[in-house]
Amino acid sequence: MLKILMKEKKIFIGLIPAKKKSTGLKNKNFKKINGVSLFIRAVNSSIKSKIINSTFVTSDSEKILSNSLKKRSNIIKRPYKLCLKKTKANEVVCHAAKYISKKFDVNRTVIVYLQPTSPLRTFKHVDQSINLFIKKNAKSLISVCETDKSIFKSLILNKQSLKSIFNKKLVTTNRQDLPKIYMPNGAIYIFYLKDFLKTKKIPIENSFPYYMTHKESIDIDNSMDLEYAKFLSKGKLK
């Protein structure tokens, strides 16, 4: 009953950015895994959610927009100037947020930002993360995966001599004694629309974590990533 009441108080909006062109891997959002394109996999992870109320796709591609409509998604025509290599995610969300704020109560709306480059994220991950967001009464949540502790041992070259980036004592600390560290995997970002409109930034600091495995966290940036994701999707690697 509590989950139902919380859901009624909040409006969950799935937001998927999927531009036409890409660098690193040409036509990335159109690449397929198990016969389904990356952008449709992202759309599916939103529309199959039992909690998300409405799904929006922001794109400059008529093909992506038309196919998203067929999947019962709402579409936002994104201008070309927000589809460049230098365009930041915050700019894309800002453009979409202004559109969404005209249709929904800003104070009750929560954005669930789902990038197509995380093809092994499913609607189950989405619903688990939203339920966690509700349970913890979080202001924001991001999906993360554990990463290599050795980053604490990193050095930079400073005028031909090496200098530790972090505490110099960590450079010689045994790896098993170093604290666990995590990094955003880019799969799920959840935040209030009203908070984003104030700062124009996706909140990272003080966000609640939703943990995902390395397999689930695969991020498509190049052709090798894509082939590895296809391999993983067939369940060949446990």
Side-chain angles (χ1 to χ4, degrees):
M1 179 64 69
L2 177 60
K3 289 183 180 178
I4 294 174
L5 290 173
M6 291 296 287
K7 180 183 173 182
E8 289 175 350
K9 290 180 180 178
K10 295 178 176 63
I11 304 167
F12 289 95
I13 302 296
L15 178 59
I16 297 155
K19 63 181 182 179
K20 182 178 180 179
K21 295 182 179 180
S22 56
T23 55
L25 179 60
K26 188 177 180 180
N27 299 320
K28 179 166 55 180
N29 287 320
F30 298 98
K31 299 298 183 184
K32 295 182 177 182
I33 295 177
N34 293 336
V36 183
S37 65
L38 296 187
F39 83 88
I40 289 296
R41 291 179 77 92
V43 170
N44 287 342
S45 70
S46 180
I47 63 174
K48 289 183 179 181
S49 164
K50 296 178 181 178
I51 307 175
I52 287 179
N53 303 100
S54 190
T55 300
F56 284 78
V57 177
T58 168
S59 180
D60 62 327
S61 165
E62 292 299 334
K63 183 177 180 180
I64 288 176
L65 294 175
S66 62
N67 278 281
S68 297
L69 276 174
K70 292 177 183 177
K71 299 290 287 186
R72 305 185 307 280
S73 297
N74 300 283
I75 60 173
I76 301 174
K77 181 69 174 179
R78 199 194 318 171
Y80 176 73
K81 66 180 181 179
L82 293 178
C83 298
L84 305 176
K85 183 179 179 180
K86 64 180 181 180
T87 303
K88 302 290 190 288
N90 287 325
E91 297 175 90
V92 175
V93 175
C94 189
H95 176 261
K98 291 176 182 177
Y99 183 89
I100 293 170
S101 64
K102 295 177 181 178
K103 296 182 175 293
F104 298 94
D105 183 346
V106 171
N107 293 316
R108 294 196 298 131
T109 300
V110 178
I111 301 297
V112 184
Y113 190 60
L114 306 168
Q115 300 185 107
T117 49
S118 299
L120 300 188
R121 170 208 54 229
T122 69
F123 74 93
K124 292 181 180 179
H125 295 118
V126 173
D127 282 354
Q128 286 172 4
S129 63
I130 295 175
N131 275 322
L132 186 61
F133 176 85
I134 294 171
K135 181 181 178 180
K136 297 297 183 179
N137 196 26
K139 292 199 67 177
S140 59
L141 176 148
I142 61 174
S143 58
V144 299
C145 65
E146 189 175 343
T147 190
D148 194 345
K149 298 178 181 180
S150 62
I151 190 172
F152 283 123
K153 296 175 175 286
S154 300
L155 305 169
I156 58 172
L157 190 61
N158 182 26
K159 295 182 179 180
Q160 298 185 338
S161 64
L162 294 171
K163 183 179 180 181
S164 59
I165 296 178
F166 302 99
N167 189 322
K168 60 183 179 182
K169 293 181 180 179
L170 296 176
V171 177
T172 54
T173 300
N174 293 332
R175 288 186 61 182
Q176 61 268 27
D177 295 326
L178 292 170
K180 288 184 178 181
I181 58 173
Y182 301 86
M183 65 178 293
N185 64 2
I188 303 169
Y189 297 86
I190 305 177
F191 50 91
Y192 281 93
L193 176 58
K194 63 179 180 180
D195 291 339
F196 180 86
L197 291 173
K198 289 178 183 177
T199 65
K200 303 296 190 295
K201 293 181 181 179
I202 297 173
I204 302 296
E205 290 291 327
N206 300 316
S207 291
F208 199 85
Y210 171 69
Y211 302 104
M212 295 176 68
T213 67
H214 283 280
K215 175 182 175 180
E216 296 164 339
S217 300
I218 183 78
D219 183 74
I220 308 300
D221 189 50
N222 52 50
S223 58
M224 289 184 65
D225 295 333
L226 180 64
E227 293 306 312
Y228 186 46
K230 289 179 180 179
F231 178 79
L232 292 175
S233 69
K234 294 176 181 178
K236 292 183 178 180
L237 184 65
K238 295 184 180 180

